Amino acid sequence: MLEPNIAGAAPLDRRRPIRALPDGLISQIAAGEVVERPASVVKELLENALDAGATRIELRLEEGGVRRISVTDNGGGIAPGELGLALLRHATSKIVSLDELEEVATLGFRGEALASIASVAQVTITSRLAGAEHASQIEGDHPAAAPVAAAGAPGTVIEVRDLYANIPARRKFLKSTATETAHCLEALRRVALAHCEVSFTAYVDGRRVANWPAVSWAQRALAALGEEFADAHHVIDAGSALLGLRGLVGLPTASRTRADRQFFHVNGRFVRDRVLAHAVRQAYADVLHGDRQPVYALALTLDPRLVDVNVHPAKIEVRFRDQQAVHRLVHHAVRDALRGAAGAAAGPAAGPGAAVRQRLDWPAAMPGWGAGMAGGTQSRLELGQPQQSYGSGAASANFGSPATEPGSAAPPLGYALGLLNGAYILAQAADGLIVVDMHAAHERIVYERLKAQHDAQSVAVQPLLIPATLRVDAVTVAGVEEQAETLHALGLDCSVLSPTSIAVRSVPALLGAADPVELARAVLAELFTHGTTNTIEEQRNELLATMACHGAVRANRQLDLHEMNALLRQMERTPGADQCNHGRPTWLRVTMAELDQWFLRGQ
């Protein structure tokens, strides 16, 4: 029986025999997974160059990579007798056994990229081993032919021309030349960010558009994020040799409307992973305003046996053996970096929340680092505990003692001069003027104190008079049984009633007014998706933030200098005090240099 002809397609004859597909068609099908657009080719060729040990890589593009892509490296090269094999499907020098596949440490390993590219474009490989008299060259159309002698420096040049020339339908799905060029350069940026020891140069239609010399990891990260983040970031160096995280995270006040400056690498490979993205987003939850997107460049390192990189043809997705441990490390490391006290480690020209740099033992210091920053040994967790930072009452305007009196070394936020329009505290710091939003700053102080008090106690539970039931699938039922201890620690008592239903018997007392069914659904969904959940903490924090807002000192409340100074000192000891609970800045600095410029002093 013939199926109907849909959109002009030839009818499918169910009586056709089963037969093996031709090698050419198999390669083109694989190319559809691996070679999505010219940027996909750029990524694969760059990764091959890095795996070959290159320290200098040059990328050339013509017409967005559709007409020509060329990648030149100074790596180890390919032996003449292996050039033809490089173009065969599933031929690779990077793995030889299942054991090596399970702990793969190279960027490329599937052995299909070059074959897939050669099936949809014209490919020429020119390579020369160190010490060889000349280079050898082979064409992708004739992989079985003997390579010919050619001119070339030690290393490899792979040239890809006329992408999708033999598949015109695929070309129709490509965007404009400018868009495809931008995607290719973004692929270069992602690779270069994780390999700071390698220099990269890029040319577009003969014009040099990028030149990244070998530098420290922090310098390369700033080059990737943009110079506007030079004084608007925190440094992270957390974990251990078995599971470590390092990188830069942008200040909440330096967030963007688009998620176009978010880079996450796992063992040197750029990835998009929902567990990692969720952990970072949750870390910013308390300090990011509205729908703004955080900026970060983070690198996770772990034992290759604990991560599966072979879950996607383009190798852009990964799967962790212990995703809870990974989520926990990323979330806490980023959150701790963002929760610096107001004015901590602020440089002389720093704005609100200027980079709080933790100790970082990288090869070279970043430009602009002060001597005290590079050699400091005090970690973020040692800068003071929340319970040591607050006055007596949430709603009280009695801020306690200012702690530091004039005459000693000036504290980061200086000393109060007065109150502007009943809303802004003006303070004199060592290098200029500090302006503090009085209500926003006190709101953060009260909020952090309420959280600390609540965290210091065990979670109070409110039993439900009538248990709430909800219908679920078999996977959720199994998950409830497996995660019983986790749910209990959150104050959520769930029990299985049947293969298709569960009962909610208690909820956290602070969320007693919440819908228990919707609360349970949200917690379970997040727990099963990300391996952890912040739903209860988020809802609790929303309630505490509301309480803090009502308990904070209001505008037009006249404070004396003693109270203003006490508030400044508390800001300097309160985690996250650079932003209020809604992500807005609580203070800013106007330096003497800026004031002199405004009034044309010295000009």
Side-chain angles (χ1 to χ4, degrees):
M1 180 179 178
L2 299 181
E3 288 198 355
N5 192 337
I6 300 175
L12 176 63
D13 188 347
R14 289 293 187 188
R15 294 169 296 181
R16 283 182 178 179
I18 298 173
R19 54 194 169 190
L21 294 176
D23 285 341
L25 181 56
I26 292 174
S27 294
Q28 289 181 339
I29 293 172
E33 298 177 332
V34 177
V35 190
E36 180 183 358
R37 63 193 325 156
S40 307
V41 176
V42 171
K43 170 184 175 294
E44 296 291 345
L45 298 186
L46 291 176
E47 289 181 346
N48 279 346
L50 290 168
D51 284 341
T55 59
R56 296 192 308 275
I57 298 177
E58 178 185 282
L59 169 66
R60 291 183 178 270
L61 303 171
E62 293 181 13
E63 295 183 9
V66 175
R67 181 176 180 182
R68 177 173 176 256
I69 299 172
S70 174
V71 172
T72 303
D73 68 64
N74 67 339
I78 305 173
E82 298 174 6
L83 282 173
L85 288 173
L87 292 164
L88 297 182
R89 293 179 59 246
H90 303 308
T92 178
S93 63
K94 301 169 186 179
I95 56 171
V96 296
S97 67
L98 179 60
D99 290 339
E100 289 190 354
L101 179 62
E102 291 180 345
E103 54 183 39
V104 62
T106 54
L107 297 175
F109 58 89
R110 298 170 69 95
E112 63 187 44
L114 288 177
S116 298
I117 295 169
S119 70
V120 293
Q122 298 178 28
V123 176
T124 301
I125 304 178
T126 306
S127 190
R128 178 179 174 182
L129 297 176
E133 295 182 357
H134 56 76
S136 299
Q137 187 176 90
I138 196 168
E139 298 288 339
D141 293 340
H142 304 92
V148 298
T156 301
V157 180
I158 299 183
E159 190 173 80
V160 179
R161 302 179 305 280
D162 297 327
L163 187 63
Y164 298 132
N166 57 344
I167 312 179
R170 291 294 300 273
R171 279 201 174 190
K172 296 179 181 178
F173 287 92
L174 297 179
K175 304 299 182 181
S176 67
T177 296
T179 298
E180 295 301 335
T181 298
H183 281 290
C184 290
L185 295 178
E186 183 65 14
L188 172 65
R189 182 196 302 269
R190 293 171 178 176
V191 171
L193 178 54
H195 301 276
C196 60
E197 73 284 0
V198 179
S199 65
F200 294 86
T201 309
Y203 295 84
V204 174
D205 297 325
R207 181 172 60 91
R208 191 173 74 176
V209 296
N211 182 29
W212 291 354
V215 290
S216 70
W217 193 93
Q219 289 172 308
R220 180 63 59 81
L222 274 183
L225 293 180
E227 289 303 318
E228 63 268 31
F229 297 100
D231 286 319
H233 67 271
H234 298 295
V235 173
I236 292 177
D237 189 9
S240 64
L242 296 178
L243 180 61
L245 181 74
R246 70 176 183 179
L248 307 181
V249 292
L251 295 181
T253 50
S255 59
R256 298 169 66 90
T257 56
R258 297 187 301 160
D260 59 345
R261 285 295 179 269
Q262 297 179 353
F263 303 94
F264 220 120
H265 292 79
V266 176
N267 288 349
R269 186 190 311 277
F270 175 82
V271 300
R272 288 195 183 98
D273 181 80
R274 61 186 182 184
V275 172
L276 300 176
H278 180 267
V280 175
R281 186 71 192 182
Q282 289 301 315
Y284 273 91
D286 247 5
V287 294
L288 202 62
H289 182 58
D291 295 328
R292 302 285 295 180
Q293 293 290 334
V295 173
Y296 55 84
L298 295 168
L300 184 74
T301 55
L302 72 165
D303 189 325
R305 292 170 295 184
L306 301 180
V307 57
D308 184 2
V309 297
N310 196 25
V311 297
H312 188 276
K315 304 186 294 293
I316 203 169
E317 297 177 6
V318 294
R319 182 182 296 118
F320 299 105
R321 181 173 297 181
D322 188 350
Q323 66 179 26
Q324 289 189 14
V326 171
H327 188 285
R328 188 161 51 247
L329 170 66
V330 174
H331 173 72
H332 286 290
V334 176
R335 186 191 63 179
D336 291 346
L338 294 173
R339 287 171 59 81
V356 181
R357 283 106 174 180
Q358 293 175 302
R359 183 169 184 261
L360 187 62
D361 297 321
W362 290 347
M366 294 167 47
W369 278 29
M373 298 175 191
T377 59
Q378 192 175 36
S379 71
R380 170 62 31 232
L381 296 178
E382 297 169 339
L383 294 180
Q385 299 301 321
Q387 59 267 30
Q388 300 172 336
S389 307
Y390 313 104
S392 57
S396 171
N398 177 17
F399 301 107
S401 170
T404 306
E405 296 297 333
S408 59
L413 297 184
Y415 297 106
L417 299 172
L419 195 61
L420 176 64
N421 286 344
Y424 298 100
I425 296 174
L426 304 182
Q428 176 179 326
D431 62 338
L433 177 69
I434 301 293
V435 183
V436 175
D437 184 328
M438 179 177 68
H439 172 74
H442 192 219
E443 182 179 2
R444 168 61 75 172
I445 291 171
V446 174
Y447 174 55
E448 291 296 333
R449 190 194 64 189
L450 290 174
K451 287 199 300 180
Q453 290 175 346
H454 190 266
D455 290 341
Q457 305 169 358
S458 59
V459 178
V461 173
Q462 177 177 312
L464 300 180
L465 185 62
I466 301 176
T469 61
L470 61 155
R471 296 186 62 83
V472 294
D473 55 29
V475 175
T476 303
V477 169
V480 167
E481 294 177 333
E482 293 176 358
Q483 300 285 354
E485 291 186 8
T486 301
L487 294 171
H488 179 73
L490 295 172
L492 197 63
D493 182 9
C494 297
S495 59
V496 176
L497 292 179
S498 74
T500 59
S501 64
I502 63 174
V504 182
R505 302 187 183 279
S506 67
V507 297
L510 196 61
L511 304 178
D515 184 334
V517 172
E518 293 304 316
L519 178 62
R521 287 192 187 280
V523 170
L524 293 173
E526 192 170 26
L527 190 61
F528 300 153
T529 301
H530 304 291
T532 186
T533 177
N534 294 89
T535 299
I536 289 179
E537 182 180 0
E538 288 174 359
Q539 294 196 20
R540 181 209 72 170
N541 288 349
E542 287 181 8
L543 291 176
L544 296 181
T546 300
M547 294 167 61
C549 185
H550 288 285
V553 64
R554 296 293 178 179
N556 297 319
R557 166 68 189 276
Q558 294 301 314
L559 304 180
D560 59 32
L561 289 177
H562 179 88
E563 291 175 314
M564 293 182 215
N565 281 317
L567 179 60
L568 296 177
R569 302 294 80 78
Q570 289 190 354
M571 289 177 64
E572 292 164 353
R573 299 192 298 269
T574 300
D578 287 328
Q579 291 83 31
C580 74
N581 310 345
H582 314 290
R584 295 188 296 269
T586 58
W587 67 281
L588 61 83
R589 182 195 307 270
V590 182
T591 67
M592 291 302 298
E594 290 172 313
L595 290 170
D596 289 344
Q597 185 177 10
W598 292 353
F599 291 99
L600 305 179
R601 289 179 61 89
Q603 298 185 26

